[in-house]
Amino acid sequence: MARKLTRPTVYGVMAEFDDPTHAVAAAQHARAAGYTRMDAYSPFPIEALSEAVGLPKNNLPLIVLIGGILGGLGGYLMQYYLSVWNYPLNVGGKPLHSWPAFIPITFETTVLGAALFAVFGMLALNGLPEPYHPVFNAPDFALATRDRFFLLVEWRDPKFDRAVTGDFLRGLEGVKGVSEVEF
Amino acid sequence: MSSRRIDEPHDWTGDIHTTPNPVIQPGHTFGSVTDKISALVLFKRTPLGWWIGFGISFMLANVLMMTIGYLLLKGIGIWGNNQPVGWAFAIINFVWWIGIGHAGTLISAILLLLRQNWRTSINRFAEAMTLFAVAAAGIFPLFHTGRPWLAAYWLFPYPNTMNIWPNFRSPLMWDVFAVSTYATVSALFWFVGLVPDFATLRDRAKSRASQIVFGMLSLGWRGSARHWHRYETAYLLLAGLATPLVLSVHTIVSFDFSIGIVPGWHATIFPPYFVAGAIYAGFAMVLTLTIPLRKFYGLEDFITMRHLRNSAKIMLATGLIVGYGYMMEAFTAWYSGSEYEGFMMKNRIWGGPYRSIYWLLILCNVLAVQVLWSKRARHNVWVLFTIAMFVNVGMWLERFVIIVTSLHRDFVPSSWGMYRPTIFDFSMFFGTIGLFLTLLFLFIRFLPVISIFEMRTILPQAALDEEALES
């Protein structure tokens, strides 16, 4: 595996499709052929395509739960600390710790915390913002945000070989073109 | 996880491509949908009508700026509100605008969770409407404080040298948190929805400036299948969070009134009645804006009659709930046996000086909408637009009735008074309409008004051929 330790000249080999079914079938074939380090690019979310390229464990729901708990606790404890400890003020004879009145703000900060964690968690897990990525060098890749579908086998894949992998992708049904992606 | 797939088994809206009422006209491809919507931003010449509309809106927005300038110079005494009507246009307009915003979240979040695919072509526009309506709403309480530069420690728990904090037991504080959270979450939801479309615009743009601007906004989005997976999770979770949030916002806005002991405000029906009214007003505004938009921008293929009809049905349903709310208000006032409640209602409906406004409200909000029972009316764009205008006015009158008629007759007759708006009340109100429309015109010109990537998902070509695939 010494070959993998140095950066090779190409990032991967990319196959282009103009139909979602062919793209998903290609990803499934590549997976069956033993490729593991793959990614696919599509102009809209396709669940089967994400599954075919091999899904990582999705930690986002847990992150959102943590965000919600932190937001809720933070909101409640802030009100408790400010009203009971930091500056106890008798308002209309109500108890200092009048917890029912603290619930609406606690609810709002819970939602706020969860929503912030959902958005920034998703971006962080996806590694965005990432202005430059080698796949942008692939021919026609600008169409990945219009009407084309791409399947990429990365150089990190243990089975990756420029010639063999390229031939494999060229043999897939519905493929419109295969190219090597420069770094 | 993919919630917007059309091949879901529980699609109880019917097959959206074979019914005679499609949500997108047949014949479109991924490419044609992409090109048509992105061309509005990138290539099409700005129509003359846009300049005229933007110009008028911008002039009105400047009326707002001048009013605010004069307000800061003289103080809120330039408005007509004074004892006993201490809350008038400022809070009427605030509630009106916040309510309008609610339809945007309903369309983008609640209809997403309910798998209503027809929402796809109007959600982006409705979310923009939400954001701009909340922006217009926020202006009123902020300037009602009179000294908005001090509002930081009046409104937020900001650690100041005087070591004083806001009173968290006050519904007005809840309102601050509810509205600011709502604005933040709506903006996040909107931006997340826009990221893949920014990538499309980046890749379609010909000019260097657009490529750079949309390139930065797209955050380097490349449509990776792994990214889409997390994206869909995040989008669905945001929808799940926005749904209880939007219900809480107008509930808390209604607490501003119902926690108080003023007759006409102190009613348990307020939260559901306010939420229904908000959705009612919001869909009226959706129709008011989308009917001209689809006409002038040739978007009839994407925003079809089905969208307008469904919006009309939601308006009819929520309008009936609002009508029920009016009935229950009157019933509770009578059934409570409270002398003050009874007097308030009698004064509001036939004895008092504002009774004509009450009957105008019933005409606009309860009677006009009954036309929508007729299928022919729901199929007529002009009728829909007219009814929507009635509702826009009616929902504003509703808040006027709730606020002004409840306050102008205090418990002691010696404290009775009348409220008359001044020119600055009106210039501030119409100014925010100008601000709202200015922002909308800029949005139509510079951002995709329809979610491009979601439109691709509802095309027949997006459905996978399951037989050609392994299980």
Side-chain angles (χ1 to χ4, degrees), chain B residues 271-311:
Chain B
Y273 155 55
F274 265 53
V275 171
I279 294 164
Y280 188 39
F283 270 92
M285 190 55 88
V286 167
L287 284 177
T288 311
L289 299 173
T290 48
I291 287 173
L293 176 82
R294 70 196 277 276
K295 177 91 189 79
F296 292 123
Y297 276 83
L299 294 174
E300 282 103 335
D301 280 9
F302 300 153
I303 304 173
T304 63
M305 276 311 288
R306 171 133 172 237
H307 296 102
L308 304 186
R309 283 203 302 272
N310 284 4
S311 305

Side-chain angles (χ1 to χ4, degrees), chain A residues 3 12 16 43 48 50 54 57 59 65 69 76 85 97 101 117 137 153 168-169 172 175-176 181-182:
Chain A
R3 186 171 63 87
E16 181 180 341
S50 303
K57 190 170 161 9
N59 290 323
L65 178 68
I69 291 172
Y76 192 89
W85 288 96
H97 182 205
F117 272 56
N137 295 327
V153 180
F168 169 77
L169 290 177
L172 292 168
V175 68
K176 295 289 159 200
V181 180
E182 305 280 328

Side-chain angles (χ1 to χ4, degrees), chain B residues 179-426:
Chain B
V179 172
S180 54
T181 300
Y182 186 48
T184 312
V185 174
S186 302
L188 286 174
F189 201 46
W190 196 54
F191 181 74
V192 167
L194 273 164
V195 164
D197 285 358
F198 283 140
T200 296
L201 293 175
R202 169 198 70 202
D203 293 342
R204 300 271 82 66
K206 294 277 187 283
S207 81
R208 190 81 190 124
S210 330
Q211 283 173 343
I212 290 173
V213 171
F214 289 124
M216 287 199 286
L217 289 170
S218 71
L219 308 176
W221 181 264
R222 52 187 187 271
S224 155
R226 295 163 198 278
H227 289 185
W228 275 124
H229 177 62
R230 295 193 193 96
Y231 180 92
E232 288 280 280
T233 310
Y235 203 74
L236 202 60
L237 286 171
L238 275 178
L241 290 166
T243 299
L245 175 66
V246 70
L247 298 180
S248 83
V249 172
H250 232 61
T251 300
I252 289 177
V253 168
S254 83
F255 285 167
D256 289 347
F257 304 100
S258 56
I259 301 284
I261 51 161
V262 175
W265 289 2
H266 196 55
T268 46
I269 198 167
F270 262 38
Y273 155 55
F274 265 53
V275 171
I279 294 164
Y280 188 39
F283 270 92
M285 190 55 88
V286 167
L287 284 177
T288 311
L289 299 173
T290 48
I291 287 173
L293 176 82
R294 70 196 277 276
K295 177 91 189 79
F296 292 123
Y297 276 83
L299 294 174
E300 282 103 335
D301 280 9
F302 300 153
I303 304 173
T304 63
M305 276 311 288
R306 171 133 172 237
H307 296 102
L308 304 186
R309 283 203 302 272
N310 284 4
S311 305
K313 284 179 191 166
I314 295 179
M315 250 169 62
L316 179 59
T318 48
L320 292 172
I321 301 175
V322 168
Y324 173 78
Y326 298 153
M327 270 166 33
M328 285 317 289
E329 270 188 315
F331 173 77
T332 327
W334 167 72
Y335 194 70
S336 69
S338 158
E339 198 181 323
Y340 297 108
E341 290 280 346
F343 171 79
M344 178 279 300
M345 199 40 85
K346 229 168 82 181
N347 178 61
R348 182 182 280 183
I349 295 175
W350 70 78
Y354 295 112
R355 63 184 180 278
S356 52
I357 294 188
Y358 183 83
W359 290 107
L360 208 55
L361 151 73
I362 297 296
L363 170 74
C364 290
N365 267 4
V366 183
L367 298 179
V369 76
Q370 304 305 327
V371 174
L372 296 179
W373 287 104
S374 146
K375 196 171 178 176
R376 270 184 59 200
R378 291 198 303 268
H379 283 240
N380 187 326
V381 180
W382 291 102
V383 173
L384 290 179
F385 189 78
T386 313
I387 302 286
M389 291 312 279
F390 268 100
V391 177
N392 286 331
V393 175
M395 285 309 293
W396 189 89
L397 293 173
E398 178 196 302
R399 278 69 179 244
F400 184 92
V401 165
I402 290 174
I403 290 155
V404 176
T405 67
S406 305
L407 288 174
H408 81 294
R409 291 292 178 257
D410 212 331
F411 290 97
V412 186
S414 61
S415 311
W416 289 3
M418 282 296 286
Y419 169 71
R420 281 179 201 87
T422 65
I423 176 123
F424 297 108
D425 281 307
F426 283 107

Side-chain angles (χ1 to χ4, degrees), chain B residues 148 172 197 314 360 428-429 439:
Chain B
L172 297 180
D197 285 358
I314 295 179
L360 208 55
M428 189 112 178
F429 175 50
L439 292 170

Side-chain angles (χ1 to χ4, degrees), chain A residues 8 10 12 27 30 37 60 75 91 110 112 119 149 157 171:
Chain A
V10 294
R37 301 298 300 253
L60 195 60
V91 179
T110 306
L112 184 65
V119 173
F149 305 81
D157 193 294

